[in-house]
Amino acid sequence: MIKSRICEMLGIRYPIFQGGMAWVADADLAAAVSNAGGLGIIAGMNSNGEQLRAEIRKLREKCDKPFGVNVMLMSPYAAEVSDVIIEEKVPVVTTGAGNPLVFMKKWIAAGVKVIPVVASVALAQMVAKRGAAAVVAEGGESGGHIGEANTMALVPQVVDGVDIPVIAAGGIADGRGYAAALMLGAEGIQMGTRFLVAKECNVHPNFKAKVLKAGDTSTIVSGRRLGHPVRSLKTPFSRKFLELEKDTSISDEELSAFGTGALRKAVREGDDEGGAFLCGQVAGLVNKEQTCAEILEEITAQAEKILGGASEFLS
Ligand code: TUI
């Protein structure tokens, strides 16, 4: 059985988080992951305060296990969402796409365990000093908004830089990645792409079909010009975005406007022409639709087997 400090700290069976994917990570998905023994996380990104409250209450009708809410710090609703988290006594918060210090004091005072997603050692150390319970170190293989360093380089450097548990994210979709993350010093993992095709995941069937079909070179990064690099599947929309990004006659405002609503169009409508299908580089490893429980059990069994056999490398 793989156990770490994070299991005891959060009261979960498997040290495996489901990423708080914008528009994707709803109460159904998060409840399924938490009920199966991992940490399910609801995305606060696409909700205002009251919509998030409804989603939290929906999860609680299905699940009495620990769960989290992810706050996307660039969201215009970040402040109201941050208050709802306290009012609803959410046990765990993860944050992304920015520096969470402005909200941390309030959350910690209310007893919320704060686990920021970081893409650098500097931010990991800053949040550790201010009381973060753990950090998720997310490498650039991830889908969605990414930093500069990749998982193999980032995770051990963050592990060396802080005393709190580190959860590895980015480029992990099976037991091999899970075992490797533990070898890098992580005490758990977070996965997004693998959960995109979970039976309990409500994304449009076209989204699931694209992930299942994708290979190792199926994603691209766009949005660097706007300061927000985002990894998504290669589609007519993402190729067009990248083209417009290179065109100096297009203003940043026009470019941003082109991307407005693209996450929703991918997740809800499966729209190839107008949707941004955020997805990690591991899509090529994700080949079947399973329940969240099956995913957690399979990846755990695979990692345990690898870790158990690792001594074969020693003579
Ligand atoms: O946040 C994510 N992934 C996301 S957020 C998102 S929604 C979005 N939509 C359009 C444009 C941009 C985002 C989709 N995917 N992952 C966590 C993460 N955080 N990755 C990288 C970071 C990060 C980057 C810079 C965290 C902090 C940071 O700088 C902090 C500072 O010092 O200001």
Side-chain angles (χ1 to χ4, degrees), residues 45 72 74 96-99 117 119 123 138 144-147 230 263 278:
M45 151 73 190
M72 209 289 264
M74 280 160 47
N99 186 327
V117 180
L123 186 58
E138 188 189 89
H145 180 52
I146 53 173
V230 169
L263 302 188
L278 306 192

Side-chain angles (χ1 to χ4, degrees), residues 103-308:
F103 301 119
M104 279 183 66
K105 209 169 168 183
K106 223 164 41 167
W107 285 331
I108 291 168
V112 182
K113 293 197 175 66
V114 182
I115 308 186
V117 180
V118 302
S120 68
V121 174
L123 186 58
Q125 290 178 325
M126 202 184 294
V127 297
K129 214 183 281 176
R130 303 291 192 93
V135 288
V136 176
E138 188 189 89
E141 299 94 325
S142 294
H145 180 52
I146 53 173
E148 288 300 327
N150 285 343
T151 303
M152 183 74 110
L154 179 68
V155 171
Q157 294 185 72
V158 173
V159 167
D160 285 349
V162 298
D163 292 326
I164 54 178
V166 176
I167 311 301
I172 304 169
D174 65 15
R176 294 170 295 182
Y178 184 8
L182 298 177
M183 294 298 95
L184 295 175
E187 296 189 50
I189 56 166
Q190 174 169 287
M191 296 191 294
T193 304
R194 177 110 186 224
F195 286 115
L196 274 175
V197 301
K199 289 217 164 88
E200 299 90 342
C201 180
N202 293 320
V203 298
H204 192 278
N206 198 23
F207 200 154
K208 288 191 182 181
K210 281 180 182 303
V211 175
L212 293 170
K213 204 171 137 211
D216 58 334
T217 59
S218 295
T219 67
I220 47 172
V221 178
S222 57
R224 287 196 193 281
R225 192 179 118 185
L226 299 174
H228 314 303
V230 169
R231 182 179 300 285
S232 64
L233 289 173
K234 286 176 186 165
T235 59
F237 173 81
S238 60
R239 288 180 202 276
K240 180 78 184 162
F241 195 99
L242 209 56
E243 213 175 280
L244 294 176
E245 199 171 335
K246 288 181 195 144
D247 184 342
T248 50
S249 73
I250 309 263
S251 70
D252 285 0
E253 289 70 29
E254 285 169 312
L255 191 60
S256 288
F258 180 73
T260 303
L263 302 188
R264 184 191 56 74
K265 282 184 205 159
V267 172
R268 296 275 162 85
E269 294 158 28
D271 175 3
D272 234 20
E273 300 296 324
F277 294 80
L278 306 192
C279 180
Q281 285 182 322
V282 282
L285 291 174
V286 176
N287 300 315
K288 54 184 187 284
E289 196 173 345
Q290 292 168 300
T291 64
C292 291
E294 286 166 347
I295 292 172
L296 294 179
E297 282 157 25
E298 185 178 287
I299 187 170
T300 300
Q302 200 182 3
E304 283 173 352
K305 190 162 174 233
I306 292 167
L307 293 167

Side-chain angles (χ1 to χ4, degrees), residues 37-154:
L39 188 77
I41 298 177
I42 295 174
M45 151 73 190
N46 46 293
S47 316
N48 63 28
E50 290 318 306
Q51 287 163 333
L52 176 66
R53 196 189 305 280
E55 211 58 29
I56 292 167
R57 291 185 177 177
K58 189 173 166 196
L59 176 140
R60 282 204 159 113
E61 277 170 25
K62 296 164 171 275
C63 170
D64 61 2
K65 299 249 172 31
F67 68 97
V69 167
N70 175 262
V71 179
M72 209 289 264
L73 295 160
M74 280 160 47
S75 160
Y77 304 119
E80 60 182 86
V81 155
S82 107
D83 288 338
V84 169
I85 283 165
I86 294 171
E87 289 157 16
E88 294 295 318
K89 300 187 172 23
V90 171
V92 182
V93 167
T94 64
T95 63
N99 186 327
L101 286 187
V102 282
F103 301 119
M104 279 183 66
K105 209 169 168 183
K106 223 164 41 167
W107 285 331
I108 291 168
V112 182
K113 293 197 175 66
V114 182
I115 308 186
V117 180
V118 302
S120 68
V121 174
L123 186 58
Q125 290 178 325
M126 202 184 294
V127 297
K129 214 183 281 176
R130 303 291 192 93
V135 288
V136 176
E138 188 189 89
E141 299 94 325
S142 294
H145 180 52
I146 53 173
E148 288 300 327
N150 285 343
T151 303
M152 183 74 110
L154 179 68

